[in-house]
Amino acid sequence: MATRKITITVPEELVESIKERVDARGVSGYIAAAAAHQDAMDRLRELAERLEEEHGAVTDDEQQAALDRIAAIDGWHDEKRSDSDEAA
């Protein structure tokens, strides 16, 4: 992926906090990862808004059904992980 150098203004306390976690060359990567995450969240929010406009809002029942399905999948993965750990 091509990169481009830009200038940004960041609160000094934030920069110091980041530097405590990464070396000097890692600051750019840390900030780039944070910007990429925010960009992904913005795109996801835009998609959700378009889907809501097209199909209507998700009902409480639909949301609960999705959460229940996610919990079931998590449980299945936990069980498989536990089975794998016991076999090892």
Side-chain angles (χ1 to χ4, degrees), residues 5-39:
K5 189 173 186 171
I6 63 169
T7 301
I8 62 170
T9 303
V10 180
E12 189 171 331
E13 300 81 22
L14 179 57
V15 173
E16 294 308 316
S17 178
I18 294 169
K19 284 183 176 181
E20 290 174 5
R21 290 170 181 75
V22 299
D23 64 24
R25 298 191 75 191
V27 172
S28 289
Y30 189 98
I31 292 173
H37 175 77
Q38 184 62 50
D39 182 60

Side-chain angles (χ1 to χ4, degrees), residues 73-88:
I73 292 168
D74 284 346
W76 182 85
H77 281 117
D78 290 346
E79 182 179 318
K80 292 296 180 186
R81 188 177 307 119
S82 177
D83 291 347
S84 175
D85 290 346
E86 290 174 6

Side-chain angles (χ1 to χ4, degrees), residues 36-67:
H37 175 77
Q38 184 62 50
D39 182 60
M41 293 299 99
D42 291 346
R43 289 171 181 263
L44 185 57
R45 187 178 307 104
E46 290 165 1
L47 173 60
E49 289 169 357
R50 283 195 312 269
L51 290 172
E52 188 171 309
E53 286 174 13
E54 186 175 335
H55 300 286
V58 174
T59 66
D60 290 343
D61 288 344
E62 290 169 331
Q63 183 175 6
Q64 188 58 55
L67 293 173

